[in-house]
Amino acid sequence: MKATVLAHPNIALVKYWGKRDDALILPHQSSLSLTLSPLSVTTTVEFGVPTDAVELNGHVAKGSERERVLRLLESVRAQAGDKSLGPAKVVSRGDFPMAAGLASSAAGFAALAVAGRAAAGLPRDTKAESILARLGSGSACRSVQGGFCEWQRGERPDGDDSFAVQRFDAAHWPELRMVVAILDRGEKDVKSRDGMKQAVETSPYYAAWVKDAEAEVPRAREYIARRDLQALGEMCERNAWRMHSTSLAADPPLCYLNAATVGLIHHLREHRKKGVPVWFTLDAGPNPVLLTDAANEVAAEALARACGALDVIRCVPGGDATLKSEHLF
Ligand code: PMV
């Protein structure tokens, strides 16, 4: 009745930006990401305790945070067809700065989905786990498996065909590096959830975004297949720019970049002109993630530091969410 899982966050190379169904978290378009190691979140779930209890990073979860966790476990009970599993205790801990704009929620909900099913006695099933994780946070469905995962948007209104599949495992491209440049540690003003809704509802460019992002996914797959860093880097940048352009065109406009972000991007372009193979991507926050290879990760870190990075985290392709024998309680 107790299970513990470690999962890694992921960074989208083709972003997910906008839901067609808010309750089921169904996206308008497909997306593709890379799982990041060594960053991780570990979560223990136990059913059959006296009352529900949720602890995230040393704090008792309250309000909507607690509700999202308990709602996901309600779906575990439904999948297990067993309402008698009883209340659940959840303890979750991440090993990276939560306010850094990295999607800690992706690793957290992926770990919760896999641990929840295991604690309910269900067998490992990456499709079912990915669908469960998606109900916690969309991007979490891409953290159940390692390497390069593609979240297929699906067509069905019940979301049963909207989950992530692994296209290439972490060993496919071990020299690939993602360097996270933390320029700002503050909480962002507009959460992804709210920002994407605003873009869907008010941006005149939104339909173009959906069409373009969907078309980029098979291209990204091709570039990854042939380990073409330049083609993938260029695609990553244009996809990030297009997500941000769609958002800048929303009403009211959404600007996630700050002055340091723009400074770093210009600096990065100068480096590239001098032959350093480095590109960026940017989620809904000011902290860019630099895409490069093992031979250039030190140069990428130096570039980020020269542009005022408060912290830099060097990442490699990460593995699957895995069951652990040591529990958090
Ligand atoms: O899954 P959410 O609700 O945290 O949204 C993630 C949105 C982006 O990080 C901007 C893009 C993505 O695909 O991860």
Side-chain angles (χ1 to χ4, degrees):
M1 295 301 257
K2 195 188 225 183
T4 298
V5 168
L6 178 146
H8 300 288
N10 69 75
I11 180 80
L13 308 174
V14 180
K15 312 284 182 200
Y16 139 61
W17 197 241
K19 300 174 180 63
R20 65 179 199 273
D21 183 313
D22 286 337
L24 290 174
I25 312 198
L26 300 177
H28 275 290
Q29 28 81 221
S30 304
S31 55
L32 194 148
S33 62
L34 173 63
T35 309
L36 300 180
S37 181
L39 308 176
S40 71
V41 173
T42 302
T43 302
T44 299
V45 179
E46 182 176 21
F47 285 107
V49 296
T51 55
D52 285 327
V54 181
E55 185 195 305
L56 306 177
N57 293 312
H59 300 287
V60 175
K62 294 201 175 78
S64 63
E65 219 179 14
R66 176 182 155 95
E67 286 317 306
R68 280 164 90 193
V69 170
L70 295 180
R71 207 172 38 209
L72 193 152
L73 294 179
E74 231 0 85
S75 306
V76 171
R77 292 187 183 89
Q79 286 192 355
D82 186 355
K83 298 276 175 195
S84 66
L85 284 167
K89 177 170 176 177
V90 176
V91 174
S92 185
R93 258 177 236 154
D95 65 358
F96 58 104
M98 295 298 145
L102 290 170
S104 60
S105 64
F109 281 113
L112 180 69
V114 178
R117 275 181 56 94
L122 292 162
R124 290 254 11 210
D125 173 341
T126 52
K127 174 182 165 184
E129 289 161 354
S130 181
I131 287 177
L132 261 181
R134 192 200 75 216
L135 297 172
S137 124
S139 55
C141 76
R142 300 185 312 237
S143 269
V144 165
Q145 286 178 287
F148 300 86
C149 291
E150 187 178 318
W151 177 8
Q152 300 167 320
R153 70 181 290 281
E155 302 289 337
R156 292 172 58 114
D158 66 1
D160 203 42
D161 56 355
S162 188
F163 56 93
V165 292
Q166 184 187 60
R167 289 294 179 198
F168 305 92
D169 66 14
H172 169 72
W173 198 347
E175 314 78 35
L176 190 63
R177 293 291 180 275
M178 302 299 271
V179 178
V180 185
I182 300 176
L183 299 172
D184 186 338
R185 288 205 184 94
E187 287 280 325
K188 53 193 172 202
D189 293 344
V190 185
K191 288 194 157 72
S192 303
R193 212 172 323 148
D194 303 322
M196 61 176 82
K197 194 170 169 60
Q198 203 165 306
V200 173
E201 288 172 0
T202 67
S203 177
Y205 304 157
Y206 190 74
W209 155 258
V210 171
K211 191 162 174 262
D212 181 73
E214 196 65 44
E216 293 282 36
V217 171
R219 285 183 208 126
R221 218 189 284 145
E222 214 181 288
Y223 305 148
I224 297 164
R226 59 172 203 250
R227 299 185 195 86
D228 187 335
L229 182 61
Q230 177 165 352
L232 186 66
E234 286 171 357
M235 191 235 54
C236 259
E237 282 195 6
R238 68 175 180 258
N239 180 261
W241 278 128
R242 286 170 190 177
M243 182 196 110
H244 286 274
S245 308
T246 310
S247 306
L248 283 162
D251 188 14
L254 285 157
C255 182
Y256 287 107
L257 295 81
N258 65 20
T261 317
V262 177
L264 187 148
I265 291 170
H266 284 289
H267 207 66
L268 181 146
R269 289 175 161 185
E270 290 306 312
H271 268 61
R272 217 157 49 214
K273 276 189 207 151
K274 291 179 201 148
V276 183
V278 58
W279 290 266
F280 78 92
T281 183
L282 189 67
D283 276 350
N287 299 325
V289 178
L290 312 185
L291 181 78
T292 189
D293 58 15
N296 290 284
E297 67 177 327
V298 171
E301 169 162 0
L303 183 159
R305 293 207 185 268
C307 294
L310 308 169
D311 208 351
V312 175
I313 310 171
R314 290 197 225 156
C315 300
V316 298
D320 296 346
T322 47
L323 282 156
K324 297 280 159 193
S325 50
E326 258 179 50
H327 303 299
L328 294 180
F329 61 89

